[in-house]
Amino acid sequence: METLTLLMTGFAVAGTPMNLALAAVGAVLGTMVGVLPGLGPVNAVAMLVPVVFALGLPPESSMILMAAIYIGSEYGGRISAILINVPGEASAVMTALEGYPLSRQGLAGVALSLSAWTSFLGSVLATVGIVLAAPVLSRWALAFGPVEYVALMIFAFACLTGLLSDQPIKALLATGIGLALSTIGIDANSGVMRYTFDMPNLIDGLAFSTLVIGLFAISELLILLQSHRDGVSVKIERMGRNLFNFKEMRFTLPAALRGAGIGFFIGLLPGAGGTVASALAYSTERKITERNDPEGSRFGKGDLRGLATVEAANNSASNSNFIPMLTLGIPSSGTTAIMLGVLTLYNLTPGPMLFTSQPELVWGLIASLFIGNVMLLAMNIPLVGVFARMLSVPAWVLVPFIVVVSAVGVYSGKSASFDLILMVVVGAAAYWLRRMQVPMAPLILGFVLGGILETNLRRALSLSAGEMQILWSSPIAIALWLAAAGILLLPRLLRRVLPPEARLSDD
């Protein structure tokens, strides 16, 4: 009852005209940030820090604005991923696997509206989880040390082989390339420059925006040019309806609920977030579908269940990121780290005492998550038709336009022409890899998660003076190692043991 009373107090704070206006502005800005590769919520929130102080906003209003941008970017990242196969955010990489094939089949409107609905569902369920169980779950998250994080990353990489179960070797090759790229730059521990080839522009490593635009946008443009040269036209089916129907909602609901659950618990872990959550949710849903409905599985070719589980997972994770931030003062992402910094500028100490010392701020922020998600759903559903009509623009006009806009985003990061050259080089390499049927999703996920793996592996080994046994010294780590081994080995054992007619199809 006390929790409900506090939540009502939060709605009173978030429901003031100024805070509602800030939530609406944040939702719009967040969606725009999510659509454009290279920006990201971290940059948008960082640029707003001096603005909120210049405007003299109270701390709860500042938090509401920044939180709306954060969750709005998760909604926006799916739009470019579905329409043009260019993820706006790292967490939207998995969305492109099913969303883009659906758009090529004339179902862009259905994909956009369904993804908006499942994003809303995952966000709301995660926010309910924050209300009900934040203190308990924050203590569970503290059980994850560097040893458990290493095992979690290995488990995530094992799940990546499930993305393309008919090409596990190529998926592992792509993951290895991504891990290798993540090591470029100055070593945080020793200060040694790694694989920079004496180029100052590589000291900070590869920027995510440069890599993702090269891998997806530039390579897509080169494939389009190759198709025109070969006389092969890229056909997009006639646009159908803009909204999903009740049958499709009921069909994808179990997948969305599973994705929301996975995303909620992954979002509690600092550094994991929507990228890990979407990868685990996608691979889990694919395995479940292939086991229960092998004939109806269309994963990789436009399966609504894959799209639904991914969007529910990454939005659920982005909302549950606030639990360790509010209860422990531990940021779960770059965006929440900036928000914690803003709280300290207001002379507020993040942590358990924040719930008692500043209940209006905490519960106002939680209530604003409900309000912001309703605003985002109300904004995204009516605009589905507008977004979907982008596909009526000829590909030879649309793709170069996206490349130009993306290039501006890349250049604005460091204002260095080197990044533009690197973007083209990465795009040419990605074109060759895609011609060889090497998937791009495991590559970009290997790049994103590689830094987390390396950092925690070093911490774990430093705790044990280099003894490898520490990596399987905790029950959580052992369970994750066994699960990873099961994912890698079980399908191959089943192929040896089961008769051909009893085996699951990988297609």
Side-chain angles (χ1 to χ4, degrees), residues 296-450:
S297 175
R298 288 181 49 80
F299 275 73
K301 302 173 185 177
D303 196 300
L304 291 173
R305 290 167 292 190
L307 178 65
T309 194
V310 165
E311 281 302 303
N314 63 41
N315 283 273
S316 178
S318 67
N319 280 261
S320 63
N321 275 171
F322 288 103
I323 291 180
M325 185 193 89
L326 293 173
T327 59
L328 300 172
I330 299 174
S332 294
S333 64
T335 308
T336 53
I338 294 174
M339 295 174 70
L340 278 177
V342 171
L343 285 177
T344 60
L345 294 177
Y346 281 105
N347 293 321
L348 298 175
T349 303
M353 296 305 296
L354 200 63
F355 276 80
T356 55
S357 63
Q358 295 289 331
E360 295 85 3
L361 186 152
V362 172
W363 290 100
L365 175 60
I366 293 172
S368 76
L369 296 178
F370 286 106
I371 295 172
N373 279 292
V374 171
M375 287 180 174
L376 284 163
L377 182 66
M379 181 178 66
N380 277 266
I381 292 294
L383 292 177
V384 162
V386 177
F387 294 139
R389 286 190 182 89
M390 288 176 60
L391 294 179
S392 62
V393 179
W396 60 270
V397 174
L398 181 61
V399 176
F401 172 76
I402 296 299
V403 170
V404 170
V405 173
S406 301
V408 172
V410 169
Y411 185 78
S412 64
K414 297 180 182 177
S415 299
S417 57
F418 177 84
D419 288 343
L420 296 176
I421 297 172
L422 184 61
M423 177 186 72
V424 175
V425 171
V426 170
Y431 166 74
W432 180 77
L433 289 173
R434 289 177 68 174
R435 297 278 290 183
M436 300 294 292
Q437 303 300 313
V438 176
M440 292 294 100
L443 193 157
I444 193 67
L445 290 172
F447 173 78
V448 172
L449 303 181

Side-chain angles (χ1 to χ4, degrees), residues 82 91-102 111 114-115 118 163 248 251-260 277-290 296-314:
I82 291 172
S91 57
V93 170
M94 312 307 301
T95 303
L97 290 180
E98 303 300 332
Y100 186 62
L102 286 167
L114 182 66
S115 61
T118 52
L163 302 179
E248 291 163 339
F251 176 65
T252 58
L253 183 60
L257 293 176
R258 282 189 287 267
S278 59
L280 295 182
Y282 183 83
S283 57
T284 300
E285 193 60 34
R286 179 167 183 165
K287 294 295 183 184
I288 291 174
T289 302
E290 289 179 345
S297 175
R298 288 181 49 80
F299 275 73
K301 302 173 185 177
D303 196 300
L304 291 173
R305 290 167 292 190
L307 178 65
T309 194
V310 165
E311 281 302 303
N314 63 41

Side-chain angles (χ1 to χ4, degrees), residues 12-37:
V13 173
T16 62
M18 182 178 71
N19 287 340
L20 286 175
L22 289 172
V25 170
V28 173
L29 288 177
T31 302
M32 294 170 59
V33 164
V35 170
L36 297 176

Side-chain angles (χ1 to χ4, degrees), residues 479-492:
L480 289 170
W481 280 105
L482 292 175
I487 289 174
L488 291 173
L489 300 177
L490 186 59
R492 290 151 187 78

Side-chain angles (χ1 to χ4, degrees), residues 154-165:
I154 298 299
F155 176 68
F157 290 133
C159 288
L160 292 180
T161 62
L163 302 179
L164 285 175
S165 57

